[in-house]
Amino acid sequence: MTTKLSINELESSFAKIKGLELLIGKIVEEEWDEIVGPTPYPSITDLRTWDHRLLQRYEPFYSPLCDMCCLCTFGKCDLTKGKKGSCGIDIRSQQGKIVLIACLMGAACHATHARHIVNYLIEKKGRDYPIHLGEEIELEAPLIRLVAGIKPKKLGDLEEVLDYIERQITHLLSATATGQEESYIDFESKALHAGMVDNVALEVADIAQISALRFPKGDPDAPLVDLGMGVIDKTKPVILCVGHNVAPGSEVINYLEKSGIYGSVEVAGICCTAHDLTRYSTGAKIVGPLSRQLIFVRSGVADVIILDQECIRTDIIDEAKKVGTRVITTIDQVCAGLPDMTKSPIESIIKELVSGSVPAVLIHDPAKAGEVAVKVALEIAPNRRARIVSDEQEVLDAILRCKDCGRCRRNCPIDLPINEAVYASHEKNFDLLAEIYNQCLLCGRCESECPEHIPIVSAIRVAAMEKIRNEKYKIRSGRGPIKDTEIRKVGRPIVMGEIPGVIAFVGCANYPNGNKELVEMADEFAKRRYIVVASGCAAMDIARYKDEDGQTLYEKYAGDFDAGCILNTGSCVSNAHIIGAAVKIANIFANRKLRGNFEEIADYILNRIGAVAIAWGAQHQKAASIATGANRLGIPVILGPQGVKYRRAYLGRADKKENWIVYNARTGEKVYAGPAPEHLLYVTESKEEAIVTAARLVMRPNDTNKGRMIKLSHYIDLHQKLYGILPEDLHLFVRTEADLPLTMKDQLLKMLKKRGWEPMELPDPTLLERQIIRRE
Amino acid sequence: MSATPWQIGDVPGPKQAHILRPEVFPKIVKTLKRPLIVVGSRKEVSEDKDIANNIVIMAKSMNSPLVVSPSVFKNFMKFKDVKVVCMGIEDLVNHLKEKEWKGFDDKGNYDSILFVGGVYYFQSQMLSTLKHFAPHLKTFSMDRFYHPNAEFSFENMSEVRWVQEFRGMVETIKSSSVS
């Protein structure tokens, strides 16, 4: 950061100075004439007023997973029945603290990811390498512009943003220590801040790699690539990359290309690294989301596994060793107790790995790791069959030990009837186990609990072998950002409500009933001509299902940011473009200034842009921080039932009229605008509830009559279809008769009149007094 | 089975549910002034016509409204002589935790919440919210899973035993309400 020192006039015995200006630190070439808003590089309290305003309307709702606080040596402290801990904390603040810690874990993951990738790319390309996201994208970094107040031109400019993010994370983490922050509302304000810097870190990482690697640049026609456990060609050497940082995997491809053997070695990935590998090269393949990790590693198909960072199972090295797969860890976040061979000669590392005397190593150099991985895979792949002894008979024998004690089910995160399925296979009926495969998270917790040590995940794999072989799908490679031209086209219909909403499917693979429900949700909204976007594991799982024509949703729908399309932005860090699209609409369509102008833009999005995210299988702390960042910008998020374990929601109360008062920016009057959006973070118990809730949460006070009519048509129709009745809360969302869907107008009016409904004003809505244009 | 949480790791802390015996529950029911029955989204419960019917009989006998999770609401629409509300359970719990909430009849909050048919882990967390933030409410879990976050919970039992116990319990509640 730059510090500016100005001395107009100084006279002393030492010197006489007039009109001196000193710039200390980095000199930034200033080419951006947009006026700087009130909060460039906001501190942890600069946006507190906005946070408190949000949290007053959407009050934190806590569901403690644990009644105690165990964070210091005074503890364990029992916080039930209103009791306080030794430090004075109560359960509400303790939950706020835990939520903040979770958000910080997520933000720190993304910040380190961004730092690693930026450092790697600067080393390869130099600090002056330009940030360039393609010809139709001038607004390259909406979140960085909004939060940092800078317009990054080069890779080196991103370092300054990362310095800021890391500083904020340190400040926030310090507030979680004993004897620091005490108020749950301020813990939440800090969590919102952590979420915001998380979102900026996402953007830093992705715009750096899109610019400097050969990723698609906002291409709606990004290529269709292979996904599924069945797409891996087992006749070739197989290198599997797991995690989120594309650097080592891309170096595998670089080395293969340089050696002229790309194509003769399979390069595949699990989790977001897989997304980014296919963005780097369409020859790479996606095995699947993080839930495929254990089952695929156990298959022994991978000759070498490269681990980078985040979402890596902590037992993956043990599992790999069992099937003779060699492992290379590459990032300092995952050292795994392995010998650091970064500085060892390549040939000696290869020798150790091939012989198996050292089956797993740490190499902190992506290029070296890539070369080692290729050479080792080429050497050991021919012996793969000898290496892997089929465990099928062993598994079938083990199943017979099952006594139907049911402890597997009772240790299953989603309460699957595993015991019934295992026990049924005593009679050679494997159908139930194969059925379990469709829903199973493949986490292996059932195995840990089994008193008979039955390898249940392996049993599921054996039972579902045919299904697994046929897992061959197509996904559109992550396209990255939304083009400015696309925003120009859809900005108006979104803000006016004529495109019923933007629905983003995001997050991990911790689903209550398998991925099919996710596919059904995405299909439902695309059919209804919402704009459907996806990222991360959710984007992969949307691809893991074919319709009766044998097509995945990515083959069925176009990849534009437009009504009735489904697009994949890419990996976790590509969530920046989903959130960024809302910011872009405010800037490109509505001409709102971005630079250091967070509150105004968040207020705009909350009141005008009908965007909602559904994190149906959210599991990781990163999903918590991404969602919390989206919430600060006024974007509601719906979680699947497992999301209740994040312990906190942000819920509105539709029945409290006073909570839904906004300013009419044209008159300065305070007016009731209805509960739109009703919640900021809401946990649903079922797919049906998630769909209907999304259709409700896309409503915004700014909707035109036509827009609200379209949104209400979908809300009413979905409510009737999935719940069987008309919505009871319709009166809250109908402002005037012109909002009512024409085909049902008379029927709905009767219903409304029974409830004492009266028309209300359509304001130019804002929560910010300073946005009032004139007072009457 | 003993009263260990149905999900083995779901151990919240020192305050765990008292075991509720189905044969004793009808006596407790008589002491409840404003009960509310909450039906979660587990299809095994709501799509079983006999169980759904018994839930409705119980609600009628106790003069309790039924709040039904939206995805299974269709199974309860046909029942006309009991108040059935379609509402997301998290939204409901957010209302219940406010002592001054007016309820569905504008007569005030309820005094006891009886859960049945919820997805275990989701219901556990809803009960946790009420345990910590709704001291004005008594919570009961009538599922076949021991729910430590309830104030009173059935112990873990098999599906077959639960159906039998539940049916018997409803029969007793019904007959005592008539008498």
Coordinates of all heavy atoms in Angstrom, one line a residue, chain B residues 16 30 44 49 71-72 87 94 106 109 129 131 155 159 169-170 179:
Chain B
Q16 N -29.0 -33.6 28.6 CA -29.5 -34.5 27.6 C -31.0 -34.9 28.0 O -31.3 -34.8 29.2 CB -28.7 -35.7 27.5 CG -27.2 -35.3 27.0 CD -26.5 -36.5 26.4 OE1 -27.0 -37.4 25.9 NE2 -25.2 -36.4 26.5
K30 N -51.7 -34.8 29.3 CA -52.9 -34.1 30.0 C -52.4 -32.8 30.6 O -53.2 -32.0 30.9 CB -53.4 -35.1 31.0 CG -54.3 -36.2 30.4 CD -54.9 -36.9 31.6 CE -55.9 -37.9 31.0 NZ -56.5 -38.7 32.1
E44 N -40.8 -41.9 5.3 CA -41.2 -43.1 5.9 C -42.4 -42.9 6.9 O -43.2 -43.8 7.2 CB -40.1 -43.8 6.7 CG -38.8 -44.0 5.9 CD -37.9 -42.9 6.1 OE1 -38.2 -41.8 5.5 OE2 -36.8 -43.0 6.7
K49 N -49.8 -44.2 5.7 CA -51.1 -43.7 5.9 C -51.5 -43.9 7.4 O -52.2 -43.1 8.0 CB -52.2 -44.2 5.0 CG -52.0 -43.7 3.6 CD -53.0 -44.2 2.7 CE -52.8 -43.6 1.3 NZ -53.5 -44.3 0.2
S71 N -42.4 -30.5 2.3 CA -42.3 -31.6 1.3 C -43.2 -32.7 1.5 O -43.5 -33.5 0.6 CB -40.8 -32.1 1.2 OG -40.5 -32.7 2.4
V72 N -43.7 -32.8 2.7 CA -44.7 -33.9 3.0 C -46.1 -33.4 3.4 O -47.0 -34.2 3.8 CB -44.2 -34.8 4.2 CG1 -42.9 -35.6 3.8 CG2 -43.9 -34.0 5.5
M87 N -45.2 -25.3 6.8 CA -44.2 -24.3 7.1 C -42.8 -24.9 7.2 O -42.7 -26.0 7.8 CB -44.6 -23.6 8.5 CG -43.7 -22.4 8.9 SD -44.4 -21.7 10.4 CE -43.5 -20.2 10.5
N94 N -37.7 -20.5 14.5 CA -37.4 -19.1 14.7 C -38.5 -18.3 15.3 O -38.3 -17.4 16.1 CB -37.0 -18.5 13.4 CG -36.3 -17.1 13.5 OD1 -35.6 -16.9 14.5 ND2 -36.6 -16.2 12.6
D106 N -53.3 -16.5 17.1 CA -53.2 -15.2 17.8 C -53.4 -15.3 19.3 O -53.6 -14.3 20.0 CB -54.1 -14.2 17.2 CG -53.5 -13.4 16.0 OD1 -52.3 -13.4 15.9 OD2 -54.2 -12.8 15.2
N109 N -47.8 -17.9 22.2 CA -46.9 -19.0 21.9 C -47.4 -20.3 22.6 O -48.3 -20.3 23.4 CB -45.5 -18.7 22.4 CG -44.4 -19.4 21.6 OD1 -44.7 -20.5 21.0 ND2 -43.3 -18.8 21.6
T129 N -31.6 -25.6 19.2 CA -32.0 -24.2 19.2 C -33.0 -23.9 20.3 O -32.9 -23.0 21.1 CB -32.6 -23.7 17.9 OG1 -31.6 -23.9 16.9 CG2 -33.0 -22.3 17.9
K131 N -33.6 -25.8 22.9 CA -33.0 -26.1 24.2 C -32.3 -24.8 24.8 O -32.5 -24.5 25.9 CB -32.1 -27.2 24.1 CG -31.3 -27.5 25.4 CD -30.6 -28.9 25.3 CE -29.2 -28.8 24.8 NZ -28.5 -30.1 24.9
E155 N -36.6 -43.5 23.6 CA -35.3 -44.1 23.5 C -35.2 -44.6 22.0 O -36.2 -44.7 21.3 CB -35.1 -45.2 24.5 CG -36.1 -46.3 24.4 CD -36.0 -47.3 25.5 OE1 -34.9 -47.4 26.1 OE2 -36.9 -48.1 25.7
E159 N -38.1 -49.9 14.1 CA -39.2 -49.4 13.4 C -40.5 -50.1 13.8 O -41.5 -49.5 14.1 CB -39.0 -49.6 11.9 CG -40.0 -48.9 11.0 CD -39.8 -47.5 10.7 OE1 -38.6 -47.1 10.5 OE2 -40.8 -46.7 10.7
M169 N -49.9 -45.6 22.1 CA -49.8 -44.3 22.8 C -51.0 -43.4 22.3 O -51.7 -42.8 23.1 CB -48.5 -43.6 22.6 CG -48.3 -42.3 23.2 SD -46.7 -41.6 22.7 CE -47.2 -40.8 21.1
V170 N -51.1 -43.3 21.0 CA -52.2 -42.5 20.4 C -53.5 -43.0 20.9 O -54.4 -42.2 21.2 CB -52.1 -42.4 18.9 CG1 -53.3 -41.7 18.3 CG2 -50.8 -41.7 18.5
S179 N -62.7 -39.5 27.4 CA -63.2 -39.6 28.8 C -63.1 -38.3 29.5 O -63.8 -38.0 30.3 CB -62.5 -40.8 29.5 OG -61.1 -40.4 29.6

